[in-house]
Amino acid sequence: AGDGDCGHTHARAARAIQEWVRARPPPTDSAQLLSALADLLLEKMGGSSGVLYGLFLTAAARPLHNRSDLPTWADAIDAGVEAMQRYGGAAPGDRTMLDSLCAAAQALRALRSPGADPLSVLATAVQSAEAAAEATRQMEAAAGRASYISSARLLQPDPGAVAVAAVLRAVLEGLQ
C-alpha cells in the first residue's frame, strides 16, 4: 500500500522465526511445526498479515496430523487457503496476498499425482506465485489496505502478494 508496513511486518516475523530456531530445534512433526509457527506469527508478527498467516498455518496443520505424505501436503495448503478466504474475506483477483497464495496452491495440487517430484512442483508453485504477484500491479484493489487507496497511486504489485512469493521462494531455496 506504499507505507512500508508490510515489509516491516514480514521482517518482524523473519526475526522472530530466526530467534525461535536459534533457541530450540523446531518440531520435526509437520503438524506441530505449522502449529508452532502459527502461534509464533500470531504473537510476534502483528498486523492483519500475522493473523492471516496464523489462520493459514493453523488450518494447514489439521490435515497433517498423523500424515505428511505429498497428497496430504496439497490438502493442507488447500485447507489453509480456504481458511484465509473464509475469515479474511478476500478472494483471488482482489489484489491481496491470496493472489499469490492461490496461484501457488493450484500448482501444489500436482503433489497429489503419483510420482510427483516435490521440489519440481514447489519450483513451479514459486513461479506461479511470483507471476501472480506481478499481475496484481494491474488489478483494482477490492480488499485489504490497498482498497482504501486510489488506484492511480497503486503503481507497484501488492506487497502481501510479493511477500507470499518471497516466502515460498525461501522455502524452496531452503529445501534445495
Side-chain angles (χ1 to χ4, degrees), residues 24-152:
R24 70 188 74 71
T28 55
D29 176 79
S30 301
Q32 290 175 2
L33 174 64
L34 295 186
S35 293
L37 278 171
D39 291 343
L40 180 72
L41 295 180
L42 284 166
E43 178 185 343
K44 303 284 186 180
M45 187 175 192
S48 58
S49 293
V51 172
L52 290 169
Y53 280 115
L55 286 167
F56 174 85
L57 291 166
T58 298
R62 288 186 191 114
L64 293 168
H65 285 291
N66 302 318
R67 288 187 64 197
S68 65
D69 56 31
L70 294 180
T72 305
W73 273 99
D75 295 342
I77 300 301
D78 283 344
V81 168
E82 193 275 326
M84 239 190 206
Q85 288 181 291
R86 182 172 2 113
Y87 295 110
D94 285 346
R95 196 182 199 276
T96 70
M97 65 193 327
L98 273 169
D99 291 297
S100 288
L101 193 55
C102 288
Q106 178 67 37
L108 289 169
R109 289 184 186 122
L111 292 172
R112 294 184 180 114
S113 300
D117 173 34
L119 288 179
S120 176
V121 171
L122 183 55
T124 300
V126 169
Q127 291 171 348
S128 296
E130 289 171 343
E134 181 57 33
T136 64
R137 181 188 304 266
Q138 307 304 321
M139 290 180 185
E140 184 77 28
R145 184 175 290 176
S147 66
Y148 306 119
I149 298 172
S150 165
S151 295

